[in-house]
Amino acid sequence: MIIIMRPDATEEQIGQVTDRLKRSGFGVHLSKGAERTVIGAIGDRSAIQLETLQMLPGVSEIVPIRKPYKLVSREFRKEDTVVELPGGVRIGAGQKLAIMAGPCSVEGEKEFLEAAAAVKKAGANVLRGGAFKPRTSPYAFQGLGEQGLKFMAEARRQTGLPFVTEVMDTRDVELVARYADMLQVGARNMANFNLLKEVGRAKKPILLKRGPGSTVQEWLMSAEYILSEGNKQVVLCERGIRTFETITRNTVDINAVPVVKKLTHLPVIVDPSHGTGEWDLVPAIARAAVAAGADGLMIEVHPRPDEAKSDGAQSLKPETFAGLMAELKLVAKAVGRPL
Ligand code: PEP
Ligand code: MN
């Protein structure tokens, strides 16, 4: 349930309510909005008498949250969450679009620096690259591990752009968080609840991709895991789901963008690269995502896609990416969104 405090409620009154909830065994989460403070109380509602809670000074209203996800729900927090990365990148709430771009995998220092410089020149504001790769085959390139993180850190130094990279294992969260500006939980790990709890305790923003076979509600429950551990800096990423259609790698659920915006306060971005699996389809879906109200995009870009160690077929060449950025500016302008 949520306890909505009166706009004039004092800190002391808020403290009194949270103490009472904690004594009754509730997990307590505060959301301080511009107009009012909302207290999220997660636990067994029969453990407290709502009438007595209602009588505490400063309490305006007690509202049950019927949805299984609580902290990520719009009921809990009306205002859009803004997720902040170093370099002044602010994702969500109508801010400038976040364009995360780079190769699927970090393949070497020279290669990554080249890609990073190219995407920066074209206007990306976040670098992407995988050092720990979730590959379908155990014989495929698995990523450079910590070495790859070091190369990305050097690219950040040279370009001034923050970077996002995937973490696949609870044992690597501390390591990856030491280097990266944002941790990606990949589609295959969306329902790895131990990993979700671990990144929920990390002090870095999280990019949570939607599982290819997951409903929006399951995806939001995964986000709830992260928030329930105290990390409120979560960006959702629609990257295509598996449907009966096999002509493309995945099917981008464009509905998910406005649906998620309605149900949660978290920012949502779209990954048209994994969503389509084919580079020449990427621009159309990228434009559609921005038109649908996404807060950003994740796009794979490789200087020589035919030499890529992973996902070359869906990677844009830097010049194609630059052309797409010019088109996106027009779409963003049409929907009143800075880029
Ligand atoms: C990736 O971003 O390279 C990746 C593996 O994405 P997903 O988890 O969406 O497949
Ligand atoms: Mn990839």
Side-chain angles (χ1 to χ4, degrees):
M1 63 186 160
I2 55 174
I3 295 97
I4 302 170
M5 300 301 289
R6 293 160 46 108
D8 60 355
T10 63
E11 285 299 322
E12 201 190 338
Q13 291 170 340
I14 294 168
Q16 233 184 344
V17 177
T18 56
D19 285 349
R20 175 72 69 92
L21 289 164
K22 282 183 190 160
R23 266 188 278 126
S24 302
F26 285 88
V28 173
H29 302 261
L30 278 190
S31 166
K32 292 198 173 174
E35 293 155 34
R36 51 176 207 179
T37 293
V38 172
I39 303 169
I42 311 231
D44 174 10
R45 226 188 309 151
S46 64
I48 202 162
Q49 289 229 300
L50 295 188
E51 297 75 18
T52 54
L53 196 58
Q54 178 75 67
M55 280 161 59
L56 289 179
V59 171
S60 163
E61 218 184 321
I62 300 174
V63 185
I65 302 183
R66 268 173 288 267
K67 305 232 173 57
Y69 45 88
K70 315 281 181 192
L71 303 175
V72 307
S73 71
R74 274 275 178 212
E75 284 107 312
F76 177 57
R77 192 182 148 90
K78 270 214 188 78
E79 298 86 2
D80 287 343
T81 284
V82 175
V83 172
E84 298 195 40
L85 301 186
V89 177
R90 291 167 58 78
I91 310 170
Q95 301 278 332
K96 197 165 143 60
L97 291 171
I99 308 293
M100 308 180 182
C104 179
S105 308
V106 179
E107 299 166 350
E109 184 165 36
K110 199 163 76 44
E111 291 81 355
F112 192 73
L113 293 176
E114 183 187 354
V119 299
K120 165 153 190 182
K121 187 160 169 250
N125 47 12
V126 181
L127 300 175
R128 68 142 285 146
F132 295 92
K133 294 304 304 174
R135 303 306 300 280
T136 304
S137 163
Y139 310 118
F141 178 60
Q142 303 284 309
L144 298 179
E146 185 170 4
Q147 196 59 250
L149 300 174
K150 289 189 174 150
F151 297 157
M152 278 187 273
E154 176 57 20
R156 169 177 56 204
R157 200 187 63 73
Q158 291 192 11
T159 60
L161 299 183
F163 73 85
V164 56
T165 195
E166 177 161 358
V167 59
M168 300 202 308
D169 193 310
T170 51
R171 291 168 297 186
D172 296 328
V173 170
E174 198 266 329
L175 170 77
V176 179
R178 227 182 305 134
Y179 289 91
D181 301 296
M182 182 178 222
L183 310 181
Q184 172 171 323
V185 173
R188 292 160 191 80
N189 268 319
M190 189 210 82
N192 179 341
F193 302 116
N194 286 332
L195 182 62
L196 295 172
K197 283 193 236 173
E198 199 64 36
V199 299
R201 292 190 281 265
K203 301 278 177 283
K204 290 286 165 83
I206 308 300
L207 182 69
L208 177 63
K209 289 194 151 193
R210 178 179 180 182
S214 302
T215 64
V216 168
Q217 179 153 311
E218 287 162 344
W219 186 22
L220 298 183
M221 289 309 290
S222 291
E224 184 79 13
Y225 262 92
I226 302 172
L227 269 80
S228 72
E229 291 293 330
N231 191 344
K232 298 181 179 139
Q233 293 275 288
V234 175
V235 175
L236 299 164
C237 178
E238 162 63 42
R239 46 77 74 204
I241 51 176
R242 187 164 283 189
T243 64
F244 58 79
E245 184 55 79
T246 55
I247 202 146
T248 48
R249 184 178 182 182
N250 288 293
T251 300
V252 174
D253 178 11
I254 204 82
N255 292 2
V257 175
V259 165
V260 156
K261 290 228 157 267
K262 188 161 69 175
L263 299 178
T264 91
H265 49 84
L266 297 174
V268 58
I269 70 166
V270 172
D271 171 352
S273 306
H274 294 88
T276 61
E278 290 172 48
W279 72 269
D280 57 336
L281 303 178
V282 168
I285 304 308
R287 294 191 301 262
V290 171
D295 296 298
L297 296 165
M298 171 171 261
I299 298 179
E300 288 185 339
V301 178
H302 194 291
R304 289 166 296 282
D306 53 330
E307 291 174 20
K309 289 206 164 100
S310 59
D311 287 349
Q314 66 192 33
S315 298
L316 299 185
K317 289 182 181 164
E319 54 272 27
T320 316
F321 175 62
L324 170 60
M325 287 297 289
E327 293 169 1
L328 290 175
K329 279 208 164 66
L330 299 175
V331 180
K333 190 162 176 237
V335 295
R337 195 75 198 249
L339 172 62

